[in-house]
Amino acid sequence: DALPIYTPEKIEQYRNCNFFELKPHIYAIADEAYQALRDRDQDQCILITGESGAGKTEASKLVMSYVAAVCNKGAEVNQVKEQLLQSNPVLEAFGNAKTLRNDNSSRFGKYMDIEFDFKGEPIGGVITNYLLEKSRVVKHLTDEIGRAH
């Protein structure tokens, strides 16, 4: 069973609340960014980093799901989310590698840009993929197993 921390009730709980009012949560970050964009007309960027397998894609999906739920045009945000998910297998086909920490380490990064109108409603978006490294290590470490490819 999944933890009940990403439910529609949690979205409502974090919606339009003060950032420090509730416990830390990805919905609090998404709400703060969305409020600043919508109410103060400030461009926003949420940087999601971590090691392979840390949940970066899941965190991106949660941010987009939150925005989709609180704005009036959630279908557009969900479309960008689906494009993100569909791009993963395509990129992985271009060359992941086995490393000490991960059997399937990606060499790609993603920049997702969702554009909003003056009312805070999404009007479009694009996902740009970046090659983070052109080559992998050509010699194995003593402890390393497998092959870079």
Side-chain angles (χ1 to χ4, degrees), residues 91-134:
L91 289 176
E92 288 171 5
F94 283 101
N96 288 358
K98 187 169 188 155
T99 65
L100 282 174
R101 295 186 178 183
N102 187 345
D103 286 346
N104 202 23
S105 181
S106 176
R107 297 186 293 163
F108 298 94
K110 293 178 192 68
Y111 179 79
M112 291 172 286
D113 185 6
I114 303 174
E115 298 199 13
F116 295 83
D117 66 12
F118 69 96
K119 296 182 281 187
E121 295 179 0
I123 56 173
V126 66
I127 298 171
T128 307
N129 296 296
Y130 292 94
L131 179 61
L132 300 175
E133 55 186 80
K134 291 184 180 178

Side-chain angles (χ1 to χ4, degrees), residues 4-15 22 25 27 66:
I5 58 175
Y6 304 117
T7 62
E9 293 78 27
K10 284 289 179 190
I11 288 174
E12 284 306 312
Q13 186 179 1
Y14 282 87
R15 186 178 191 163
L22 299 170
H25 197 287
Y27 290 162
Y66 182 87

Side-chain angles (χ1 to χ4, degrees), residues 16 22-23 25-27 41 65 67 78 80 86 107 111:
N16 293 321
L22 299 170
K23 293 179 181 179
H25 197 287
I26 194 154
Y27 290 162
D41 197 26
S65 294
V67 173
N78 281 324
V80 174
Q86 291 171 8
R107 297 186 293 163
Y111 179 79

Side-chain angles (χ1 to χ4, degrees), residues 27-62:
Y27 290 162
I29 294 167
D31 187 70
E32 182 69 20
Y34 184 66
Q35 282 186 52
L37 178 115
R38 183 193 63 207
D39 301 340
R40 297 185 292 277
D41 197 26
Q42 296 174 336
D43 290 345
Q44 297 296 302
C45 180
I46 299 174
L47 181 63
I48 300 172
T49 66
E51 292 185 7
S52 183
K56 297 177 297 294
T57 300
E58 289 302 312
S60 299
K61 288 172 13 185
L62 288 168

